Amino acid sequence: MYKDTIKGWVKHIDFLIIDIICLDISFIIIYILRTGRLHGPLPQIYRDLLTVIALIDICTVFFRSSYKDIIRRGYLVELKETIIHCAFVTAGVIIWIFVIKQSSDYSRIIVLGMYPISVFICYFSRLAWKRVIRIKLREGEQLRKLMVISTEERVRGIIDGLLYPYRDYSVTAIALFDGDNSKIGTNVRGVPIVSDNNGIIRYIQEHIVDEVFIDLPSDEKTAERLMNQIVGMGVTVHINLFRFGYSMENKRIYSLGQYMVVSSTMRFAEPWQMFIKRALDICGALAGLVITGIAFIIFAPIIYHQSPGPIFFSQERVGRNGRPFKIYKFRTMYPDAEARKQELIQFNKMKGFMFKMDNDPRIIPIGHFLREKSIDELPQFWNILKGEMSLVGTRPPTLDEYNHYEMHHKKRLAMKPGLTGLWQVTGRSDIVDFDEVVALDSKYITEWTLAMDIKIIWKTITTVWNGKGAV
């Protein structure tokens, strides 16, 4: 799933919040300096003015586009923009005071004195926050991993156009569509060449690739066919804009680096939708961790008594587009459970790359109850809080399962894995065909809405409460 491009001033909502806080702090500082009052609340008229300042700041940002290219702006340009921005806000406050005919109720020194203090605080707050953002971008921890597919003749220029400062993606691999495999292992502008045209799909299967940039202007049909094939794996694809067929579904036009591209993915998500989904995840995780603490107090002694060893079980799983992470659960099996798995593989009731069996002898007595009520899954609220998982998504496979995936299976990893999902509430333990799981996960990704998430969460709660099988 691809988060749609954030447009306009909403893209920098973080700077908007910082400016509002700084402006209000500036007003409070000048009020204290003017009146000498360090204790007690502000008079009502001044408390109202704090709200007015915030509203005027929002209007100023909206009409002036105050944050255009803010990440790339230098110190002097930022100082100039901050001086102008704070001047507009101060002027707006003065105009508002006269419009409501209350100019005599406010101290002119307080209103005008806010201006120089706000310039100082806003300027250095912006610089500090920009530094934080730049450090994060340089570290590249949250950057989308982009693979470039182009020709040997064009690839150097393409890479130059994509490697502009402070981008939210990292160019991690190059595939030369017309090159021979002797170029594999070399690099262009520090980006490694990892494949020729014959190894593209295999590389995407075996490595973390979030997005692919295709530049094959002389071979339109091949580019279109390749795009459809890669999108079918759950990876977002951008094609450098040139004349080509329009049979591809679910496509939009964006800018990427210095290029206009046609982008296609399983599902486009608006920024506000992803913001609300993450907010729900955080709220749900915080509430879930409280429940996890209560469950720990109740069940930890029982788990240890029945099977001495760690209370929690951790395991390497595979998340969005192949990212490995460590998942946490209450331990419901004996410590040698993983070693005994191969002995029991013949009893696997799943058709495909997941393991499930009835009356698994590796499960400790209390483990059956914990699994039936899905209590063993509660520690995963920590994964959700960290951002590795979501409340609703697709269940993350083990490394062993993932290594056996076929090309079309990878599309179920196109979005962040979840504590619950569509296939769990549809059949939970009753589904035994892995391809059916993939079909339901794909349906969830392509048809995802916030309402669907809420419906799945509610259905999960009622299903677990009624004990209709375990995840």
Side-chain angles (χ1 to χ4, degrees), residues 5 37 82 115 131 136 138 143 223 251 367 455:
T5 302
R37 295 182 183 178
T82 305
Y115 175 62
R131 181 173 178 79
K136 288 184 177 180
R138 281 197 296 267
L143 299 185
K251 58 183 181 294
K455 183 178 179 180

Side-chain angles (χ1 to χ4, degrees), residues 210-255:
D210 297 308
E211 301 173 22
V212 172
F213 180 93
I214 299 177
D215 177 72
L216 301 173
S218 61
D219 200 346
E220 301 166 3
K221 293 297 181 183
T222 299
E224 185 175 325
R225 185 171 62 252
L226 191 60
M227 183 181 204
N228 290 329
Q229 193 175 13
I230 296 173
V231 168
M233 299 171 67
V235 177
T236 298
V237 179
H238 311 284
I239 290 189
N240 194 10
L241 200 56
F242 50 80
R243 195 178 69 80
F244 60 90
Y246 288 90
S247 61
M248 292 165 293
E249 298 180 358
N250 201 24
K251 58 183 181 294
R252 297 185 184 182
I253 295 178
Y254 292 108
S255 62

Side-chain angles (χ1 to χ4, degrees), residues 40-269:
L42 290 172
Q44 184 62 48
I45 59 171
Y46 286 107
R47 290 205 299 271
D48 293 341
L49 201 56
L50 292 176
T51 303
V52 172
I53 290 171
L55 295 174
I56 292 174
D57 182 66
I58 294 172
C59 293
T60 302
V61 170
F62 182 79
F63 289 108
R64 282 201 68 249
S65 299
S66 300
Y67 305 135
K68 184 178 181 181
D69 294 325
I70 189 169
I71 303 298
R72 293 190 285 271
R73 291 199 304 230
Y75 295 110
L76 292 178
V77 175
E78 191 60 62
L79 178 59
K80 173 189 171 185
E81 288 296 326
T82 305
I83 290 172
I84 295 173
H85 179 83
C86 292
F88 269 86
V89 174
T90 304
V93 172
I94 294 171
I95 292 171
W96 180 83
I97 290 173
F98 278 97
V99 167
I100 63 172
K101 299 180 180 179
Q102 290 184 347
S103 58
S104 60
D105 296 334
Y106 294 93
S107 167
R108 293 180 179 85
I109 294 177
I110 291 177
V111 175
L112 295 175
M114 178 187 74
Y115 175 62
I117 298 176
S118 65
V119 170
F120 178 83
I121 296 178
C122 286
Y123 176 65
F124 285 102
S125 297
R126 288 184 181 187
L127 293 184
W129 186 241
K130 286 201 292 185
R131 181 173 178 79
V132 171
I133 293 175
R134 286 168 176 169
I135 290 173
K136 288 184 177 180
L137 291 176
R138 281 197 296 267
E139 291 175 348
E141 294 179 359
Q142 303 298 325
L143 299 185
R144 312 185 318 263
K145 295 185 182 296
L146 178 72
M147 180 181 186
V148 173
I149 301 174
S150 189
T151 62
E152 187 175 351
E153 177 186 3
R154 293 176 56 85
V155 70
R156 186 172 296 273
I158 293 297
I159 295 298
D160 287 340
L162 291 171
L163 295 181
Y164 70 92
Y166 309 123
R167 58 196 176 276
D168 58 356
Y169 59 85
S170 175
V171 184
T172 57
I174 296 171
L176 293 181
F177 203 79
D178 63 346
D180 56 62
N181 55 20
S182 65
K183 297 289 184 180
I184 297 175
T186 62
N187 66 79
V188 177
R189 299 285 194 254
V191 182
I193 298 174
V194 300
S195 172
D196 58 12
N197 60 311
N198 295 317
I200 293 172
I201 300 301
R202 177 177 294 178
Y203 181 86
I204 295 174
Q205 280 184 284
E206 297 176 352
H207 297 80
I208 300 173
V209 178
D210 297 308
E211 301 173 22
V212 172
F213 180 93
I214 299 177
D215 177 72
L216 301 173
S218 61
D219 200 346
E220 301 166 3
K221 293 297 181 183
T222 299
E224 185 175 325
R225 185 171 62 252
L226 191 60
M227 183 181 204
N228 290 329
Q229 193 175 13
I230 296 173
V231 168
M233 299 171 67
V235 177
T236 298
V237 179
H238 311 284
I239 290 189
N240 194 10
L241 200 56
F242 50 80
R243 195 178 69 80
F244 60 90
Y246 288 90
S247 61
M248 292 165 293
E249 298 180 358
N250 201 24
K251 58 183 181 294
R252 297 185 184 182
I253 295 178
Y254 292 108
S255 62
L256 188 70
Q258 297 179 1
Y259 303 103
M260 292 301 297
V261 298
V262 172
S263 303
S264 180
T265 187
M266 292 179 68
R267 175 72 164 85
F268 287 99

Side-chain angles (χ1 to χ4, degrees), residues 383-439:
N383 294 111
I384 295 172
L385 188 63
K386 290 169 63 179
E388 297 166 336
M389 293 178 62
S390 178
L391 289 175
V392 184
T394 61
R395 287 301 290 166
T398 64
L399 287 173
D400 181 61
E401 293 167 353
Y402 177 72
N403 290 333
H404 288 87
Y405 271 17
E406 296 175 12
M407 185 178 72
H408 68 283
H409 293 147
K410 189 175 179 180
K411 62 185 175 183
R412 69 183 298 265
L413 303 177
M415 69 186 303
K416 197 179 294 185
L419 182 63
T420 185
L422 183 61
W423 78 263
Q424 288 96 324
V425 299
T426 301
R428 289 168 66 84
S429 58
D430 299 327
I431 296 178
V432 296
D433 191 336
F434 180 67
D435 283 329
E436 187 177 350
V437 172
V438 174

